[in-house]
Amino acid sequence: MYSLYTGARSGEVLNLEWSRIDFDKSRVYLYPKNQKSRKHGTLILMPPSRIALLNREAFHMEHCLDSSWVFCQ
């Protein structure tokens, strides 16, 4: 759901860390090393993608608390 509403590439999604998400501003900050263009970027969190990430945060707190990755294994 997150990638569908943000247009993020798979590498941007899989390398996403919690520290790069600003829920207050509804933004995700992308660093050059995580982008195909090698430039800084910002994704705006639309309500469905924001909700998906908040749900993921609840899962994260229960199953992989020690990981900085949003999509941990």
Side-chain angles (χ1 to χ4, degrees), residues 8-53:
R9 295 180 176 95
S10 60
E12 294 166 345
V13 172
L14 296 175
N15 291 310
L16 185 59
E17 296 176 85
W18 289 109
S19 62
R20 297 189 349 232
I21 300 173
D22 185 339
F23 285 111
D24 293 332
K25 294 182 181 177
S26 292
R27 301 279 191 271
V28 173
Y29 300 102
L30 303 173
Y31 298 131
K33 69 178 183 175
N34 302 114
Q35 294 222 90
K36 186 177 178 180
S37 67
R38 299 291 181 225
K39 296 180 182 178
H40 286 276
T42 303
L43 296 174
I44 297 171
L45 291 176
M46 300 303 290
S49 57
R50 188 175 190 283
I51 290 168
L53 287 174

Side-chain angles (χ1 to χ4, degrees), residues 14 18 56 59-60 63-65 67-73:
L14 296 175
W18 289 109
R56 186 66 191 179
F59 174 88
H60 181 270
H63 297 284
C64 44
L65 189 58
S67 176
S68 65
W69 304 105
V70 173
F71 299 99
C72 57
Q73 294 183 357

